[in-house]
């Protein structure tokens, strides 16, 4: 006899012995109760045991004990009635408080997948469908990945109809119509398993249902990999009979309630162990077999799936590629409704919106039990799991599954020619639900089923492949690629129809009616279920109808007041002239060059606006950024003002909203909104008292309290205003930073469950760039009116200086109205650009999604105003922010009248402005040290001065706040590895030929090849002449091969050992690829992550155009890699292809630091990359929008530390070389990067400086005065550099590294790599850095 898991032998044998078996192969056995024995005479026999619902009830009252069942009593007539319904367990009753989603938790799970389904339209059940699904799943192995053991799959599984035939062989008495089957993962511990089963039994008993028995699912644990086996659960099925008369949808709802109550009870009772107890499915129609398995072993692991009695009319199959190498069994797919291939980019916002309104979700079918279904979502689960939760609620409430996904993942219904032609009715459906439910946006192929229908839907961008075909026997196949059954040729004659899903399209196979429907028919059917056109007409007003566009032709304040307001609200001369006036003039965000070499805001001794303490997040690898130009059709800036209403029971009176075409409001539009009686708008002053300790915190508390009261009283539009005028400018009345006020109100309303009852509009002087606007919207604002920016644009056009420039033809002649229109247009285009970096199409989805990370803000600030945002280094508290806000406001009250704005030098280097690491003093010292222009004669004393310059400079990056310390005694430098070995680790950045001149590009390559390092081609191809070895250099260093270069030597090569490739990159040919030592896939660039390369037309010379296969003078912008590198599995495919075309070359993947990069790098490692490069936000560029240079990407130190730690933790570190790149200028930078985990080190801007760059910062204009970054022949002739100059620099750096290693008592860099315990945080030099905590960087990963 074999004891079932968790069975006390004493219950039958009178012994106290427990089973200790964890993973022994098991055969199926139904168990009518929790304590049981498998009958040795027959695998289908049932042992005698106590009914579980009676056992649970017995704890409460002896009178509820049910009659024991025997094996012979399993017949329909003898099925036991449900126990008397009991009260729901207390811990499962109360409505939960809304919990804000934490980005740190969300970032732990990132994935992409292969998915498909097979369905028989005649609803004929067969084992053939299971066999075909397993075969198709096996062909999806390349769409998945394995852990470091190369055996534990990230997840694979099938969803099918319940295999009643198989189950009835073991339990003939089952009534299919009234029975639900649960597939459960239980803890792999006897006591915890018993507790989990007890919870199930208690909930079932309390609901008045009958638990018919337990069945241990037969598995083969020997096929499970080491990593997966460590967390493998015990897998059981539970059979539950509904209440008398409960069948169909009513039974599905009852089982849904049971599962939700189990989830709430387990959380309350089991604590942390609850995550090992998971109900995969509990349904009368569907069941899921899944696990942390490779595709090819799913059938081997689950013995049921190869049993010919397992029959079904459909099967959904799914293979997961998790970038996290410690994936969990429950997160394997399919889920309960969905199988998802893709990534939801707006997840944090979606979770927060769900949390804020879940207590208001009501429908009569739930009979007041909606509270027991909450919480609806969980940030610790994957995006797929959370989308599945919402879809499941809608389906159980009565929505059809295709209808649910249409409203959750809407197609682009505006300006869609096919839609308007074929099924225009659906426009009103989408427009109505836009007011109730924000979209779950991101690349997605969703396969779904409720057991009655099976279908697939593609997101609005269509960036996931999905093909379908129908055979003569009425079988429908959908797959994310062709050939999954290996019968493309042999079965061709049986295919009667086929196609592919386009953006936003759906197909559905109805197993009840036998019909197969495509998008047009589905959309028409869904859109005509309700009078949506009538509902929209009653529910939605358009802002244009309330207030036509009106641009004032005159200034609204005098110039002196404007200057004071600008200064008091943080606007400097650069902001006014380069940003606001630049946008007003041209209608586009201004472009700049180089990188961001000023201190992080928290390290600066200058006050910074709050926005500067945040960095924009961006998509890389697991999901693609998109191109806002190419994808303009699917992108939208529409927003709604007003309360949301009840999603579950919509109608004509559900909401009353105002539709905005843009979140950027004109002053006249704001006025109309403020006066709108339907919205019940109310304006709140956002200010605090200067000089009073704690007044900012107190003002925020009062603001939130006042807004809460107003919303409870019916206010559907909260206006937060810092508007000040000449009469209201008071030195003691300081405006609360608008971002702080917006975030505080937004999160307070979430916590109080009121957020979906109102909207937030911000009237502010503190928003005048695209980054500012995006942040306000990302943290909760529905719209904003940047009144000071508008006034700045008006006064710029009206100024005498501008009028003179217009007359001279230097500035286009535009009206005052056009200047404001251009400003508005620029902000809108910039917001679209920021959305596209994250792969998001709809502003309504970006709204509240908080796609930022903080650098320099304390937990107090985050929890109060930006809850859920990542802030890993601590920093300023509210008192610090109060001091910074007061220091800005004081600038509006100068002793003498102002004549101009202060130039802070945040963008351009200024003598009295912000510190720039790449400054002229630094470049002069370096040029002297390496002998630039003096025959490459080195000057060691000058390099010492160069090092001293940085030692005395203010800290500007996180590594400046770290000290290298060792417990070892110093050693002689003679014992340290030679400089030549260290220099082999040096690389140069991916600077493209075109962004820099031919002379610069080739000189850098020559120098790096001499030291044994690796230069990088950047994007743009490479001239084949550079692949030859130089043999014609004369004694003066000249060569006919490269007549424009100096300092050449025979044996030199000008090839770039690293050659860059990616989607849409120019100049990539087979010849180019085979002449590489390393092939770099550029996913992101430090200076502008989420965007493609940008080369102004004036820099596209005939030579550059020839290399790039383009036309001279035409601007070149490389698209983001979303058309063929759309996911982690596609990256794996490209890595494979590159290995095939050049087997000798290693493949590197270039990423940019951001929170979660370690998980991404894990995926890249599992995709078989050889090198992972992490770049910092401060990387250089030839041309980029200013907001991208300043506000996207994270510090390289954080990126390297996280990547190293995660790779070590997941046993992947030895697979890859880790390269760091981001503003490195010295040997000390190399030492710190090595301690953080870097093996190799990239130098970008400093390499250009070493070849002659003087930091003129005009790269984007083609006017570089020394020919380093220009394509103009006369300027290139001035190029001063020679290869030996850069070689000298690298020698100095290597020797500095050797000296540092000797001081640490180390003999090689290898001894330092990854030893963050050699790093200690230095004392904070500034008051606002006293709260910094760099323990994240000083943590030793082992």
């Amino acid at each position: 006899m074999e004891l079932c898991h968790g069975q006390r032998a004493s219950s039958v044998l009178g012994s106290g012995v427990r089973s200790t078996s964890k993973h022994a192969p098991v055969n199926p056995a139904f168990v009518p109760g929790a304590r049981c024995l498998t009958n040795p005479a027959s695998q289908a026999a049932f042992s005698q045991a106590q009914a579980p619902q009676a056992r649970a009830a017995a704890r409460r009252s002896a009178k509820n004990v049910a009659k024991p069942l025997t094996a012979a009593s399993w017949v329909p007539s003898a099925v036991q009635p449900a126990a008397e319904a009991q009260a729901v367990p207390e811990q499962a009753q109360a409505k939960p408080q809304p919990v804000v989603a934490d980005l740190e938790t969300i970032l732990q799970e990132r994935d992409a997948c292969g998915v498909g389904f097979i369905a028989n339209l005649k609803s004929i059940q067969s084992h053939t469908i299971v066999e075909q699904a397993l075969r198709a799943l096996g062909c999806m192995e390349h769409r998945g990945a394995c852990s470091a053991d190369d055996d534990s799959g990230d997840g694979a599984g099938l969803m099918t109809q319940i295999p009643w035939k198989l189950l009835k062989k073991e339990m003939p008495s089952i009534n299919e119509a009234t029975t639900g089957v649960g597939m459960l993962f239980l803890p792999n511990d006897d006591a915890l398993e018993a507790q989990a089963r007890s919870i199930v039994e208690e909930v079932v008993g309390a609901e008045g249902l009958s638990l018919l028995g337990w069945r241990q699912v037969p598995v083969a644990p020997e096929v499970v990999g080491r990593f997966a086996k460590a967390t493998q659960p015990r897998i059981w099925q539970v059979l539950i009979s509904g209440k008398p008369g409960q069948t169909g949808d009513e039974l599905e709802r009852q089982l849904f309630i049971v599962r939700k109550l189990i989830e709430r009870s387990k959380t309350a009772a089991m604590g942390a162990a609850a995550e090992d107890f998971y109900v995969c499915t509990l349904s009368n129609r569907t069941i899921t077999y899944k696990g942390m398995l490779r595709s090819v072993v799913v059938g081997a692991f689950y013995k049921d799936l190869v049993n010919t009695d397992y029959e079904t009319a459909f099967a959904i199959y799914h293979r997961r590629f998790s970038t996290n190498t410690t994936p969990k069994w429950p997160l394997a797919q399919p889920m309960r409704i969905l199988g998802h291939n893709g990534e939801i980019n707006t997840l944090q916002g979606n979770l927060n919106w769900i949390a804020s309104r879940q207590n208001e979700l009501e429908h009569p079918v739930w009979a007041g039990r909606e509270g027991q279904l909450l919480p609806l979502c969980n940030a610790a689960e994957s995006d797929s799991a959370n989308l599945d939760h919402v879809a499941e609620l809608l389906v159980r409430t009565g929505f059809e599954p295709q209808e649910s996904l249409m409203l959750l993942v809407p197609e682009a219904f505006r300006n869609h020619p096919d839609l308007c032609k074929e099924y225009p009715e659906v426009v009103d459906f989408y427009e109505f639900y836009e007011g109730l439910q924000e979209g779950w946006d991101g690349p997605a192929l969703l396969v779904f089923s409720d057991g009655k229908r099976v279908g697939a839907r593609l997101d609005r961008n269509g960036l996931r492949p999905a093909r379908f075909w129908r055979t003569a026997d009425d079988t429908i196949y959908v797959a994310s690629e062709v050939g999954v059954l290996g019968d493309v040729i042999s079965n061709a004659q049986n295919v009667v129809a086929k196609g592919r899903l386009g953006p936003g399209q759906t197909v559905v196979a109805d197993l009840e009616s036998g019909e197969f429907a495509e998008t047009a028919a589905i959309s028409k059917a869904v859109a005509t279920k309700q009078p949506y056109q009538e509902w929209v007409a009653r529910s939605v007003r358009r802002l244009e109808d309330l207030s036509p566009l009106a641009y004032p032709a005159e200034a609204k304040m005098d110039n002196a007041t404007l200057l004071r307001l600008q200064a008091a609200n943080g606007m400097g001369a650069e902001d006014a002239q380069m940003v606001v006036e630049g946008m007003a003039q041209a209608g586009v965000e201004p472009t700049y060059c180089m990188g961001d070499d000023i201190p992080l805001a928290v390290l600066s001794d200058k006050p910074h606006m709050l926005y500067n303490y945040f960095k924009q997040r961006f998509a890389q690898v697991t999901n693609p950024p998109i191109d806002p130009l190419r994808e303009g059709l699917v992108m939208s800036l529409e927003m709604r003002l007003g309360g949301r209403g009840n999603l579950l029971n919509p109608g004509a009176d559900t909401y009353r909203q105002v539709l905005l075409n843009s979140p950027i409001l004109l002053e006249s539009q704001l006025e109309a909104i403020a006066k709108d009686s339907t919205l019940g708008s109310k304006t709140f002053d956002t200010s605090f008292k200067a000089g009073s300790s704690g007044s900012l915190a107190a003002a925020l508390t009062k603001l939130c309290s006042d807004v809460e009261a107003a919303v409870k009283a019916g206010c559907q539009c909260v206006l937060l205003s810092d508007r000040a005028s000449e009469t209201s400018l008071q030195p003691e009345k300081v405006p609360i930073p608008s971002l702080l006020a917006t975030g505080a109100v937004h999160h307070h309303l979430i916590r109080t469950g009121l957020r979906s009852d109102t909207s937030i509009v911000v009237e502010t002087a503190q928003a005048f760039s695209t980054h500012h606007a995006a942040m306000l919207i990302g943290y909760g604002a529905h719209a904003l009116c940047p009144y000071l920016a508008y006034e700045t644009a008006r006064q710029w056009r009206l100024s005498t200086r501008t009028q003179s420039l217009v007359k001279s033809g230097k500035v286009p002649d535009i009206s005052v109205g056009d200047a404001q229109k251009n400003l508005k247009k620029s902000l809108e285009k910039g917001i679209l650009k920021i959305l596209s970096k994250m792969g998001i199409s709809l502003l309504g989805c970006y709204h509240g999604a908080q796609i930022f990370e903080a650098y320099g803000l304390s937990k107090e600030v985050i929890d109060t105003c930006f809850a859920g945002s990542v802030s890993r280094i601590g920093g300023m508290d509210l008192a610090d922010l109060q001091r910074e806000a007061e220091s800005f406001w004081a600038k509006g009250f100068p002793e003498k009248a102002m004549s101009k704005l202060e130039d802070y030098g945040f963008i351009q280097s200024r003598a009295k402005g912000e510190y720039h690491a790449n400054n002229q003093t630094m470049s002069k010292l370096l040029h002297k040290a390496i002998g630039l222009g003096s025959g490459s004669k080195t000057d060691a004393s000058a390099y010492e001065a160069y090092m001293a310059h940085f030692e005395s400079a203010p800290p500007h990056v996180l590594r400046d706040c770290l000290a290298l310390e060792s417990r070892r005694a110093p050693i002689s430098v003679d014992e340290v590895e030679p400089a030549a070995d260290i220099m082999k680790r040096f690389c140069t950045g991916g600077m493209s030929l075109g962004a820099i001149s031919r002379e610069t590009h080739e000189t850098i390559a020559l120098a790096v090849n001499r030291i044994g390092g690796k230069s990088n081609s950047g994007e743009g191809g490479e001239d084949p002449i550079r692949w030859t070895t130089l043999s014609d250099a004369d004694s003066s260093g000249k060569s006919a091969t490269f007549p424009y270069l100096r300092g050449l030597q025979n044996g030199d090569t000008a090839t770039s050992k690293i050659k860059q490739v990616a989607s849409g990159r120019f100049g990539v040919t087979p010849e180019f690829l085979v002449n590489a030592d390393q092939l770099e896939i550029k996913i992101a660039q430090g200076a502008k992550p989420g965007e493609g390369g940008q080369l102004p037309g004036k820099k596209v010379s005939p030579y550059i155009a020839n290399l790039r296969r383009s036309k001279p003078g035409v601007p070149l912008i490389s698209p983001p890699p979303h058309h063929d590198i759309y996911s982690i599995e596609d990256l794996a495919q490209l890595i494979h292809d590159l290995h095939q075309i050049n087997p000798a070359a290693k493949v590197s993947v270039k990423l940019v630091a951001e929170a979660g990069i370690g998980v991404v790098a894990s995926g890249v490692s599992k995709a078989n990359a050889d090198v992972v490069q992490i770049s910092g936000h401060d990387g250089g560029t030839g041309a980029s929008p200013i907001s991208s240079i300043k506000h996207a990407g994270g510090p390289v130190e954080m990126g390297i530390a996280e990547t190293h730690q995660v790779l070590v933790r997941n046993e992947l570190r030895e697979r890859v070389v880790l390269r760091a790149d981001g503003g490195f200028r010295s040997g000390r930078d190399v030492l710190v990067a090595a301690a953080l985990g870097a093996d190799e080190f990239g130098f970008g801007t400093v390499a250009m400086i070493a070849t002659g760059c003087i930091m003129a910062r005009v790269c984007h204009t083609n006017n570089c005065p020394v020919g380093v970054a220009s394509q103009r022949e006369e300027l290139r002739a001035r190029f001063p550099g020679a290869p030996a100059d850069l070689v000298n620099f690298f020698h100095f750096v290597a020797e500095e590294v050797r000296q540092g290693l000797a001081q640490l008592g180390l003999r090689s860099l290898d001894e330092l790599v990854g030893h963050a315990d050699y790093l200690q945080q230095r004392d904070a030099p500034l008051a606002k850095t006293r709260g910094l905590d760099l323990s994240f960087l000083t943590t030793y990963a082992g």
Side-chain angles (χ1 to χ4, degrees), residues 354-371:
I354 288 291
S356 68
R357 65 171 177 269
Q358 62 185 7
N359 288 328
E360 299 178 6
L361 298 175
E362 297 177 351
H363 194 281
V365 300
W366 298 113
R369 303 191 67 181
E370 292 88 350

Side-chain angles (χ1 to χ4, degrees), residues 614-650:
F614 291 84
K615 296 288 186 180
Q616 299 163 17
R617 292 182 53 74
F618 48 91
Q620 52 183 344
V621 179
T622 54
N623 60 312
I626 57 177
D627 187 333
L629 299 177
R630 292 188 181 190
E631 311 300 333
L633 180 68
V634 303
M635 300 193 76
S636 170
L637 290 177
E638 288 185 356
M639 293 290 283
R640 301 285 188 97
L641 299 182
R644 278 273 174 90
N646 179 13
L647 174 64
L648 295 188
N649 197 14

Side-chain angles (χ1 to χ4, degrees), residues 691-710:
S692 176
S693 178
S695 60
L696 174 59
L700 285 172
T701 300
K702 183 178 186 304
L703 174 64
C704 290
S705 177
D706 291 347
V707 169
E708 178 185 347

